[in-house]
Amino acid sequence: MPAPSRGRTRHRHALAVTWQGEVAAAALAARTAGHVLAAFTRSFYLRFGDGIVCIGSEALGQGPLNALYASDGVAWTDLAVGAPALWEGRSLRVGPGFTLDFSRARTWGAPQVRSISVANLRAGLDRLAQDLRPRSLPGFGPLIPCLCTGGPPAADTMADPVLVAAAPEIALLRRWLGSAARSAEAGPTLSGLIGLGPGLTPSGDDFLYGVIGTLHAVGRGETAARVAASVLPQAAASTNLISLANLRCAAAGQVSAVFADAIAALTHAGHGLTEVLDRIAGVGHSSGWDSLAGVALALATLCGRTVHAPSPARGDYFEIY
């Protein structure tokens, strides 16, 4: 049987992109040529200069690095690492015969929380701690209940050597965050967290992603910037390009939709939290729980801080600075 024509190959693998993250859109706009950095069953990563783009189906979920297509059932494991990628303004050609059409893609960006009821936030964190205690969680997941409440970790959670290594670094960050609003002190050195744990995005990196991204989401951008200024130079030397790209997204105030939804649920007394936790469970082997631990720590530090008096226009809502 003769080989299919080049045109037929492109047509067979043409996919319409429905959503692109703001960071992905900027990476594509900045460069015309890139290459495949890594390929997996459900997605693949492209490198365009210093920019990273993740291509996957809509099941992957919206995120700053993600470009999503509506079709499912496409496996990318045969896509060769190093295969060329060419951005042509509205379409992306990858390797031998794959084309992604961006002409109708909508751009997604992470939302910010504009105001927070401290009582609702406490209720949301209490519910998260309660909902997770019966579960057996990987990665930093076992630390989430104590991060929500500010108490010590359960003794049986500290059998994991990764958690043993992480605990003093997390305690240092928790203390620093507790006074950051009243001090100009530089962000803490957290070299023990960067690159800590296995996986494409190590647990320590995912945790810091959750912390930095959440601080931005709740209007603590200056505090987030100090943490990022300490973390990013170390990450550039100590972790992989994909994990570094995620940390840079957090430093720019961009987190994936599932974590934006987690922040919204926790600041609204846990409303919708069960559905969000189900989605977080599907993020990597432990990455979802690792990042949620960072979300919990960042939000928990807000509960004991001085806030402005309630605005008459906002009822019992407070602006947190």
Side-chain angles (χ1 to χ4, degrees):
M1 179 181 292
S5 70
R6 186 177 178 184
R8 287 177 184 169
T9 302
R10 277 204 306 270
H11 178 74
R12 188 173 68 220
H13 295 294
L15 295 168
V17 173
T18 54
W19 287 98
Q20 60 179 339
E22 290 181 348
V23 178
L28 292 171
R31 293 285 186 112
T32 58
H35 65 271
V36 175
L37 184 62
F40 307 95
T41 300
R42 296 172 55 203
S43 63
F44 65 94
Y45 286 84
L46 299 172
R47 183 177 184 184
F48 282 80
D50 291 333
I52 303 292
V53 179
C54 178
I55 309 290
S57 77
E58 289 180 344
L60 195 63
Q62 293 166 327
L65 296 176
N66 295 354
L68 306 176
Y69 52 84
S71 305
D72 207 349
V74 181
W76 299 104
T77 48
D78 291 336
L79 191 60
V81 172
L86 183 64
W87 174 246
E88 298 177 324
R90 290 192 174 185
S91 66
L92 177 66
R93 290 197 286 120
V94 183
F98 295 96
T99 300
L100 294 112
D101 177 10
F102 281 72
S103 60
R104 296 186 179 182
R106 290 176 287 177
T107 300
W108 179 88
Q112 269 201 326
V113 177
R114 297 301 178 186
S115 59
I116 297 173
S117 159
V118 175
N120 283 347
L121 174 55
R122 287 174 178 157
L125 290 170
D126 288 345
R127 174 160 173 199
L128 176 59
Q130 181 179 1
D131 286 358
L132 292 186
R133 282 195 177 98
R135 301 194 187 201
S136 178
L137 302 176
F140 284 16
L143 298 179
I144 297 174
C146 72
L147 293 173
C148 289
T149 63
D156 58 355
T157 67
M158 301 312 292
D160 184 341
V162 172
L163 296 184
V164 171
E169 302 280 288
I170 293 174
L172 173 64
L173 179 57
R174 181 157 61 178
R175 288 193 299 271
W176 184 87
L177 287 172
S179 61
R182 303 183 299 273
S183 167
E185 183 182 1
T189 300
L190 301 167
S191 56
L193 283 177
I194 297 166
L196 177 65
L200 180 66
T201 54
S203 292
D205 296 359
D206 289 331
F207 175 79
L208 291 168
Y209 167 87
V211 170
I212 296 168
T214 302
L215 290 171
H216 270 294
V218 297
R220 295 280 186 175
E222 192 275 336
T223 302
R226 281 189 277 163
V227 178
S230 173
V231 164
L232 288 180
Q234 298 179 73
S238 303
T239 197
N240 65 70
L241 290 173
I242 293 172
S243 194
L244 175 62
N246 280 315
L247 285 169
R248 285 174 171 164
C249 286
Q254 293 281 343
V255 294
S256 296
V258 66
F259 300 111
D261 291 345
I263 294 165
L266 290 168
T267 55
H268 288 81
H271 180 72
L273 185 60
T274 300
E275 184 270 338
V276 174
L277 293 179
D278 289 341
R279 290 161 56 202
I280 284 174
V283 179
H285 172 63
S286 69
S287 287
W289 304 118
D290 299 330
S291 297
L292 185 61
V295 172
L297 175 61
L299 291 178
T301 62
L302 300 181
C303 290
R305 290 189 176 163
T306 302
V307 295
H308 287 262
S311 163
R314 296 178 184 267
D316 66 340
Y317 280 78
F318 295 76
E319 293 283 355
I320 296 183
Y321 295 90

